[in-house]
Amino acid sequence: GAGVSQSPSNKVTEKGKDVELRCDPISGHTALYWYRQSLGQGLEFLIYFQGNSAPDKSGLPSDRFSAERTGGSVSTLTIQRTQQEDSAVYLCASSSGLAGNYEQYFGPGTRLTVT
Amino acid sequence: KQEVTQIPAALSVPEGENLVLNCSFTDSAIYNLQWFRQDPGKGLTSLLLIQSSQREQTSGRLNASLDKSSGRSTLYIAASQPGDSATYLCAVITSGSARQLTFGSGTQLTVLP
């Protein structure tokens, strides 16, 4: 079946602009995660959605970052007033969340470059 | 706060060798441990998942072990091939967390033909 997909694959934006990154999880997966991978910081957790529960936003680095998940499926990560330090690869993952199965499957990522 | 360490940071071996990648974590109260492979410019591919109650998992030439009490995991790759060249990442879900993965910094493996 189809894996996790993300769009766009690459995004170049000017400092101060807003960007939206999209994630389509594996069909039927109730858990969805956003991570960020940057040269200096490695892979960092950003936000976690589980079903209809309130998301865990504990990893978001600032209030310029927000995410939503509509209809329990597609998710959008929004970065407002982008800064150069936001340049990174943003990875989305999903897991079934059923019977304690939290094996995470990752999408190809969106490479964000802020100029 | 959970911290995951991977040693070595880089490894270069000739084709055909067996090799071991190491991962350690500071909080032994984990839910599971997952090994990933990442090719340059690509996303992460899940290789093996070990639940906290398990000691090892095998998939083809790969074998991952888990010693939760000592906070260690190893990934054993048998008969390495040039196609195994990639960065290998170890990650854990800590019990009581939001089920997010905490990652090590990875081991960059090069298998020379």
Side-chain angles (χ1 to χ4, degrees):
Chain A
V4 178
S5 61
Q6 293 185 246
S7 61
S9 55
N10 281 284
K11 177 71 176 179
V12 180
T13 191
E14 292 180 353
K15 177 181 172 181
K17 295 284 179 71
D18 298 351
V19 295
E20 286 189 351
L21 313 179
R22 177 187 167 105
C23 172
D24 282 273
I26 293 172
S27 178
H29 277 192
T30 61
L32 185 148
Y33 312 77
W34 284 97
Y35 295 87
R36 177 170 72 172
Q37 186 173 31
S38 53
L39 278 176
Q41 301 296 325
L43 263 153
E44 304 172 284
F45 164 73
L46 296 177
I47 189 169
Y48 163 63
F49 295 88
Q50 172 60 59
N52 296 320
S53 302
D56 184 311
K57 305 178 183 179
S58 59
L60 294 179
S62 78
D63 58 8
R64 296 185 296 105
F65 288 72
S66 63
E68 62 179 23
R69 188 177 185 191
T70 54
S73 182
V74 171
S75 177
T76 302
L77 177 69
T78 300
I79 309 173
Q80 296 179 308
R81 305 180 303 282
T82 52
Q83 304 294 312
Q84 287 186 331
E85 61 262 28
D86 300 334
S87 296
V89 177
Y90 290 81
L91 293 162
C92 175
S94 71
S95 65
S96 72
L98 299 176
N101 184 349
Y102 289 97
E103 182 169 7
Q104 294 184 26
Y105 298 88
F106 280 76
T110 293
R111 181 175 298 276
L112 175 66
T113 303
V114 182
T115 61
Chain B
K1 179 187 171 187
Q2 179 73 270
E3 293 184 1
V4 180
T5 303
Q6 291 188 246
I7 294 173
L11 180 63
S12 183
V13 300
E15 181 177 6
E17 269 203 11
N18 303 324
L19 59 101
V20 174
L21 307 181
N22 296 291
C23 171
S24 62
F25 44 95
T26 55
D27 186 348
S28 62
I30 64 168
Y31 190 81
N32 65 30
L33 183 146
Q34 202 166 348
W35 280 94
F36 295 90
R37 166 187 175 137
Q38 186 172 34
D39 293 281
K42 306 289 186 182
L44 278 64
T45 301
S46 179
L47 297 173
L48 290 164
L49 172 82
I50 310 178
Q51 300 286 1
S52 63
S53 58
Q54 297 175 323
R55 297 285 300 202
E56 67 177 335
Q57 282 287 335
T58 298
S59 176
R61 294 183 293 108
L62 305 179
N63 176 276
S65 68
L66 173 64
D67 184 343
K68 200 173 72 161
S69 61
S70 67
R72 296 175 189 273
S73 175
T74 61
L75 179 66
Y76 175 83
I77 302 177
S80 59
Q81 303 171 357
D84 295 331
S85 298
T87 296
Y88 290 79
L89 293 153
C90 165
V92 298
I93 292 179
T94 306
S95 298
S97 71
R99 303 291 187 253
Q100 77 270 22
L101 288 164
T102 301
F103 283 87
S105 53
T107 294
Q108 186 172 358
L109 173 66
T110 302
V111 181
L112 303 169

